[in-house]
């Protein structure tokens, strides 16, 4: 058993009693007091470090800590905002800033950029930026081949709408807006193979509107054939 940590200059593998088992230097180190987060992606055998200020992303082999690739987020959005990431079973991962305008998708093993879309690709208003995005890869298996038309994105936008996007092999984006009640406030979206889960507060969860508030999980079917065929 083990756990992982970062001290700003190194990523460490530690035993449960705190003994250092191995470590690797973070190339260039992290800016002083920079926020960063480690992600363990066991399905891909990768350890990721994502640094919030510059948007840099490093990936190492989970067992050997051998460097696999480095990449970074494009320079869009407020660099003080949190950097969010989601992973899909060893196939690919995405990253974006809260309130940012761009979400990027990379293949998990080698770090190849698969897809990059802006909030306007979701057919949203100019100011409806990204709150949170999840993804589903069409290709599964031990060595999936991920392409731009093989990824479905589900995005929660700042206008409280939830939208599903898939690009076809010509690069045309197909978008579906999920129906919801006017009194629903969506707090989080989660996409799995064939399903979209919404964490919803129903009622009037704002100080200026009195009334009861209930939190629930709403499941909607996701047609994996088209990516956007939600009944």
């Amino acid at each position: 058993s083990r756990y992982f940590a970062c001290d700003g200059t190194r990523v460490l593998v530690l035993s449960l009693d705190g003994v250092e088992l191995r470590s690797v230097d973070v190339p260039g180190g992290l800016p002083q007091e920079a926020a960063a987060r480690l992600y363990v992606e066991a399905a891909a055998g990768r350890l990721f470090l994502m640094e919030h200020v510059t948007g840099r992303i490093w990936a190492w082999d989970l067992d050997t800590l051998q460097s696999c690739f480095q990449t970074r987020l494009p320079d869009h959005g407020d660099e003080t905002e949190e950097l969010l990431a989601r992973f899909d079973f060893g196939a690919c991962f995405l990253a974006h800033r809260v309130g940012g305008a761009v979400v990027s998708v990379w293949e998990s093993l080698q770090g190849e950029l698969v897809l990059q879309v802006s909030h306007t690709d979701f057919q949203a208003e100019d100011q409806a930026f990204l709150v949170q995005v999840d993804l589903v890869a069409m290709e599964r298996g031990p060595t999936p081949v991920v392409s731009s038309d093989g990824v479905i994105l589900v995005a929660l936008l700042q206008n409280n709408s939830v939208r599903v996007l898939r690009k076809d092999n010509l690069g045309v984006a197909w978008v579906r807006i999920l129906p919801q009640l006017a009194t629903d406030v969506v707090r989080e979206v989660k996409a799995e193979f064939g399903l979209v889960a919404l964490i919803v507060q129903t009622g009037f969860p704002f100080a200026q509107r009195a009334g009861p508030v209930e939190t629930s999980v709403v499941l909607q079917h996701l047609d994996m054939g088209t990516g956007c065929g939600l009944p």
Side-chain angles (χ1 to χ4, degrees):
S1 298
R2 57 188 176 172
Y3 68 96
F4 302 88
C6 179
D7 64 6
T9 60
R10 298 182 302 157
V11 169
L12 305 98
V13 185
L14 305 167
S15 66
L16 293 183
D17 55 2
V19 176
E20 182 179 325
L21 302 177
R22 65 181 66 89
S23 66
V24 64
D25 290 336
V26 177
L30 300 179
Q32 188 174 7
E33 299 181 356
R37 182 174 295 175
L38 285 168
Y39 295 87
V40 176
E41 172 59 317
R46 294 290 181 265
L47 176 67
F48 292 90
L49 176 65
M50 299 190 183
E51 190 265 302
H52 292 195
V53 175
T54 65
R56 290 181 296 171
I57 301 171
W58 297 268
W60 295 274
D61 182 274
L62 190 59
D63 293 318
T64 66
L65 290 188
Q66 179 179 352
S67 177
C68 297
F69 61 87
Q70 299 179 40
T71 186
R72 68 183 301 162
L73 232 59
D75 293 327
H76 296 283
D78 185 350
E79 67 182 20
T80 64
E81 292 289 353
E82 184 179 6
L83 190 154
L84 297 182
R86 286 289 179 90
F87 298 81
D88 188 60
F89 296 103
C92 54
F93 69 97
L94 65 77
H96 68 91
R97 294 191 187 278
V98 176
V102 175
V103 56
S104 302
V105 180
W106 295 268
E107 180 268 336
S108 293
L109 294 178
Q110 303 300 326
E112 178 184 353
L113 181 64
V114 174
L115 181 65
Q116 193 169 83
V117 300
S118 76
H119 68 298
T120 56
D121 289 318
F122 289 94
Q123 299 177 4
E125 297 81 0
D126 287 345
Q127 299 304 313
F129 294 112
L130 303 168
V131 175
Q132 187 242 315
V133 187
D134 203 356
L135 79 165
V136 177
M138 305 289 289
E139 183 79 17
R140 298 296 176 95
T143 55
V145 178
V146 184
S147 59
S148 61
D149 62 337
V151 176
I152 298 172
L153 299 177
V154 181
L156 171 60
L157 304 178
Q158 286 180 332
N159 62 3
N160 195 49
S161 67
V162 177
R163 307 188 180 208
V164 180
L165 177 147
R166 182 183 179 190
K167 287 196 172 184
D168 63 20
N169 56 8
L170 299 178
V172 178
W174 299 88
V175 176
R176 174 71 184 268
I177 303 174
L178 272 62
Q180 61 198 67
L181 299 175
T183 55
D184 287 352
V185 175
V186 181
R187 296 302 187 190
E188 185 177 355
V189 295
K190 177 64 179 174
E192 294 292 348
F193 203 76
L195 284 176
V196 176
L198 312 179
I199 310 300
V200 173
Q201 286 187 332
T202 302
F204 301 103
F206 301 102
Q208 66 270 28
R209 300 294 298 272
V213 176
E214 295 182 358
T215 300
S216 58
V217 178
V218 178
L219 298 178
Q220 298 207 30
H221 172 67
L222 180 61
D223 185 341
M224 298 304 294
T226 64
C228 297
L230 289 97

